[in-house]
Amino acid sequence: MLIPDSDTFIAQVLECQRALSHLRFDAVDRADLHLTLGRIGDAGSLSQTALRNLGVAARDLVPASFDLAAVPLTASTGAIRYSVAPWDPILELHTALGAAGKRHGVTQGRSTASLRPHIGIAYCNRPMSADAVRANLSPLRSLPPVLMRMNNVQLVELRRRGNSYTWTTIHRIPLR
């Protein structure tokens, strides 16, 4: 899911990225902020017909649009990220997309039970002390959550370019 163009969220992301810039992580550009729902396969192995059918089927199964809170700030072994809440509508959306894919022989790589929704804002590009990252994140964790309205989901062709991800949108599916 691409993140809606929320001035409040973008301003807070930029504030966090500036505050953490001395860690020299690879910052995610504002246009590339996203919440990954799953991967369905290598682009070369999926036919255009299967992708088109998946997009059409998903339109009939996706849930209603929903509000999502982006909660600052945590880290994983490879990224600095926002947690998101509530998870229920994201898990419902993931399940619906999985059902649409199953109808057309396009399966998700990750089960809904294993999904850990988040929005990455910076990727680690070298080994780094987790303690140092945690210490630098600590003051940013008190920033207020930012509410956003999630209105659509995109089926994209994802590519790794250097230290970031880029994509081309294949289908934009409005949430009901």
Side-chain angles (χ1 to χ4, degrees), residues 26-176:
D26 295 321
V28 176
D29 186 81
R30 71 180 285 166
D32 296 332
L33 293 168
H34 64 281
L35 188 155
T36 301
L37 291 173
R39 296 178 189 210
I40 58 171
D42 183 82
S45 68
L46 299 168
S47 74
Q48 291 301 312
T49 301
L51 294 175
R52 189 173 31 261
N53 290 342
L54 173 60
V56 170
R59 288 179 192 276
D60 296 333
L61 297 175
V62 294
S65 58
F66 55 91
D67 291 323
L68 189 66
V71 183
L73 202 59
T74 191
S76 65
T77 57
I80 297 172
R81 63 188 189 188
Y82 277 74
S83 297
V84 293
W87 279 13
D88 289 345
I90 297 168
L91 299 179
E92 181 183 349
L93 177 58
H94 189 268
T95 299
L97 294 171
K102 195 172 192 177
R103 284 185 181 178
H104 296 283
V106 180
T107 58
Q108 295 184 92
R110 173 181 281 189
S111 70
T112 299
S114 67
L115 185 65
R116 299 294 176 261
H118 65 277
I119 303 167
I121 67 164
Y123 294 110
C124 190
N125 52 27
R126 67 194 181 292
M128 175 171 260
S129 162
D131 290 338
V133 175
R134 276 193 292 272
N136 283 278
L137 289 180
S138 185
L140 299 171
R141 293 176 66 100
S142 64
L143 291 170
V146 179
L147 290 178
M148 295 179 284
R149 185 78 177 162
M150 308 309 287
N151 292 311
N152 62 72
V153 63
Q154 296 82 36
L155 174 61
V156 302
E157 181 181 337
L158 183 69
R159 294 173 299 284
R160 180 83 177 187
R161 184 172 55 188
N163 293 323
S164 64
Y165 292 98
T166 62
W167 56 81
T168 302
T169 301
I170 297 170
H171 290 285
R172 185 175 304 270
I173 303 161
L175 301 179
R176 290 185 269 124

